Amino acid sequence: MAARGAQPVLLEEIWLPLPLFAALAEGDPAGWDDLLYPMFAQRCGVHVARAIDEIGFCAAAAAQAAVLGLPAGHPCARVQRRAFDLGGRCVESRRSLGDAHAFHYTVAIT
């Protein structure tokens, strides 16, 4: 979750296959590096080679809106990502949600 000051601006849910990421399961996510893909490579030996993002819009559910400091039903941008390793396996599924009025999206995975 990214934050501007103390207010979160992005809510993310990330699913990782436990057999590949067991090294992360035992630690506290608060201690994770800011850049996840280099951390995945360093700590787990998983190298992300490519990702597919699908971008859409939705209304924030009450619980999501509360985390983001928005009213329930507020328009949000939603990015759904699937990331693949060098062998083509899907190694990450991620859903990111943020205020549609402040939406700006740039991605570069190299």
Side-chain angles (χ1 to χ4, degrees), residues 22-34:
L24 298 178
E26 297 180 17
D28 181 359
W32 288 9
D33 300 343
D34 289 338

Side-chain angles (χ1 to χ4, degrees), residues 20-21 45-51 83-92:
L20 297 176
F21 293 94
V46 176
H47 300 270
V48 173
R50 66 185 182 90
F84 301 87
D85 69 5
L86 298 169
R89 290 182 299 183
C90 184
V91 296
E92 177 199 47

Side-chain angles (χ1 to χ4, degrees), residues 49-90:
R50 66 185 182 90
I52 299 170
D53 288 345
E54 294 180 19
I55 301 169
F57 297 88
C58 64
Q64 296 166 327
V67 170
L68 294 169
L70 301 170
H74 189 83
C76 284
R78 180 183 57 228
V79 180
Q80 295 188 188
R81 169 178 287 181
R82 289 179 298 139
F84 301 87
D85 69 5
L86 298 169
R89 290 182 299 183
C90 184

